[in-house]
Amino acid sequence: MKEIWTLAEFRCGSLNSISFELLNRGKELAKKLDAPLSSVIIGNNIKTEDINELIARGADKVYVVNDSHLEHFIVESYAKVLISLLKEFKPDIFFAAATTTGRTLMPYVAIKMKTGLTADCTGLDIEEGTGNLLQTRPAIGGNILATIKTPNTRPQMSTVRPHSMKPMAADESRKGEVIKREFIDDSSEVKTKFIKFLKDETQQVGIQDAKIIVAGGRGLGKAENFNALEELAEIFGGEVGASRDVVDKNWMTYPHQVGLSGKTVSPNLYMAIGISGAIQHIAGMQTSENIIAINNDPDAQIFKVADLGIIGDLNEILPPLIKGIKEYKKKEA
Ligand SMILES: Cc1cc2nc3c(=O)[nH]c(=O)nc-3n(C[C@H](O)[C@H](O)[C@H](O)COP(=O)(O)OP(=O)(O)OC[C@H]3O[C@@H](n4cnc5c(N)ncnc54)[C@H](O)[C@@H]3O)c2cc1C
């Protein structure tokens, strides 16, 4: 029986929502293969609620390895757990998020399992006829999208970009199977020592977690015009995003860049202002809940993905828009 596995991320006592994004991605694959969808959760102090949440969010089975030695992410220990599970249960497909954890752990495991891994996928699908996993990712500097297969070895492994999918909604009525395994400690095999957990403070711009993003492109004309976008983002309690062209022009810094060679975002509201909607930009924001585009070219590609399109000169649209929203907010307060 073919089975599809996803890696749930459990850190500091709670599940990362990326775990639910992976389940949403796995759902379609499972349907096409008529196979169960499972999550693997590794950590310490994993609670029944965490396991139940994975089931509610789409897992048919949850494999749990809960042990005090697994409190911190140590690649050798986590890999040992995964390899043992993979050898015992032999899933057909196994994928994780392309986070620091996924990018570190999955290649390590793939080498030990003597199987292939496609990193940083933007799309996963099932090939008709063979049932092989089709793993799509940008290649050659993002100029082409390559679809890669692992036809000869199992499991077929990949990491997928975070925020390239919405998290699976919870359905508390779902039932699932829970499979627990013990962690067998052998510290002599572990060369890595945990010293301290330090949060990365260098990534000050949190556009990937923002609920609202006000993004600007070359249509803004000059760096100073981003002040209006910063004002708008501040009113909304959001963040400022940017196209690659404005980052290349030094109007904005790289952590703000959205797209294929920047970040993938999925906010509730994405405002694309003076952005043409090149395929490389759209790849980074198309899963946004609501997209509003302002552009003076009625044929701009961005209007193809926009829920609301405003055709006109942003210099004429932005000042009254900001004024209007401010007045509305004042009345609401
Ligand atoms: C390998 C590779 C990776 C890439 N990665 C990324 C990426 O991660 N992110 C990304 O964004 N791009 C990326 N690109 C670049 C991408 O192809 C486009 O060049 C870029 O997105 C265009 O940026 P833009 O929309 O700001 O500029 P333009 O395409 O020049 O668009 C400007 C828009 O502003 C409009 N405009 C002009 N004046 C006004 C006005 N007064 N009022 C209203 N609208 C106005 C114009 O009609 C136009 O549609 C990548 C390209 C390659 C080859």
Side-chain angles (χ1 to χ4, degrees):
M1 168 65 129
K2 288 186 173 177
E3 204 169 303
I4 298 172
W5 282 17
T6 64
L7 180 71
E9 285 198 23
F10 186 77
R11 179 72 57 84
C12 303
S14 64
L15 270 168
N16 186 328
S17 68
I18 192 79
S19 318
F20 316 136
E21 287 179 33
L22 296 177
L23 284 168
N24 204 4
R25 206 171 260 287
K27 189 184 67 172
E28 277 307 305
L29 306 178
K31 204 164 134 196
K32 285 192 179 173
L33 282 179
D34 193 19
L37 177 62
S38 308
S39 262
V40 182
I41 180 167
I42 305 170
N44 185 30
N45 283 327
I46 298 168
K47 299 173 289 304
T48 310
E49 299 95 90
D50 301 315
I51 299 168
N52 289 345
E53 179 147 28
L54 288 169
I55 294 171
R57 303 271 191 164
D60 301 308
K61 294 184 191 177
V62 182
Y63 295 89
V64 186
V65 184
N66 192 8
D67 192 282
S68 59
H69 291 93
L70 301 168
E71 169 79 24
H72 304 293
F73 173 62
I74 305 279
V75 69
E76 292 108 316
S77 308
Y78 273 52
K80 193 180 162 194
V81 169
L82 282 180
I83 291 162
S84 154
L85 291 173
L86 291 171
K87 285 186 174 163
E88 183 179 352
F89 295 98
K90 300 184 175 45
D92 208 48
I93 294 172
F94 180 34
F95 60 95
T99 54
T100 315
T101 303
R103 284 172 196 231
T104 312
L105 184 59
M106 296 296 269
Y108 193 104
V109 172
I111 284 175
K112 302 263 181 201
M113 293 296 295
K114 295 190 170 45
T115 189
L117 170 97
T118 307
D120 221 10
C121 293
T122 49
L124 294 179
D125 204 352
I126 300 294
E127 187 178 48
E128 262 182 56
T130 64
N132 281 331
L133 182 67
L134 299 173
Q135 307 159 90
T136 302
R137 55 150 298 149
I140 317 181
N143 287 315
I144 60 158
L145 285 174
T147 298
I148 297 162
K149 292 190 268 185
T150 311
N152 301 325
T153 52
R154 291 293 181 267
Q156 303 161 88
M157 290 179 64
S158 47
T159 58
V160 296
R161 275 187 165 211
H163 303 289
S164 57
M165 199 87 196
K166 292 264 165 223
M168 185 85 168
D171 172 0
E172 306 298 339
S173 68
R174 290 192 87 256
K175 298 268 175 285
E177 188 185 344
V178 180
I179 299 137
K180 294 188 179 174
R181 286 291 178 268
E182 297 296 317
F183 174 71
I184 298 147
D185 178 33
D186 185 358
S187 312
S188 62
E189 283 176 23
V190 179
K191 295 190 181 73
T192 313
K193 281 210 167 21
F194 176 82
I195 298 170
K196 195 168 161 186
F197 182 76
L198 285 174
K199 203 168 180 293
D200 181 5
E201 304 288 356
T202 56
Q203 286 287 80
Q204 287 160 346
V205 181
I207 59 168
Q208 284 191 297
D209 297 320
K211 297 265 180 286
I212 296 177
I213 295 175
V214 183
R218 205 147 63 97
L220 280 158
K222 53 184 173 181
E224 297 85 86
N225 287 347
F226 267 88
N227 294 342
L229 267 56
E230 271 156 12
E231 194 178 353
L232 198 51
E234 199 182 321
I235 300 170
F236 285 140
E239 294 284 351
V240 174
S243 71
R244 172 157 141 181
D245 282 26
V246 306
V247 172
D248 289 347
K249 284 179 173 299
N250 286 327
W251 296 354
M252 269 282 140
T253 55
Y254 178 68
H256 293 269
Q257 187 181 316
V258 173
L260 207 55
S261 48
K263 290 188 177 130
T264 307
V265 297
S266 195
N268 294 344
L269 173 63
Y270 188 88
M271 288 185 79
I273 302 171
I275 291 176
S276 58
I279 186 165
Q280 295 91 350
H281 187 83
I282 287 178
M285 44 66 78
Q286 61 193 344
T287 56
S288 304
E289 199 86 51
N290 298 287
I291 299 169
I292 300 177
I294 303 176
N295 200 302
N296 62 4
D297 174 6
D299 296 322
Q301 290 297 313
I302 194 73
F303 290 130
K304 296 218 161 90
V305 293
D307 299 286
L308 177 69
I310 304 168
I311 301 165
D313 185 342
L314 60 91
N315 299 302
E316 287 168 18
I317 295 165
L318 280 180
L321 180 71
I322 294 173
K323 192 166 168 258
I325 295 170
K326 274 184 173 167
E327 282 169 6
Y328 176 79
K329 285 247 168 190
K330 221 186 228 171
K331 266 193 224 151
E332 286 279 286

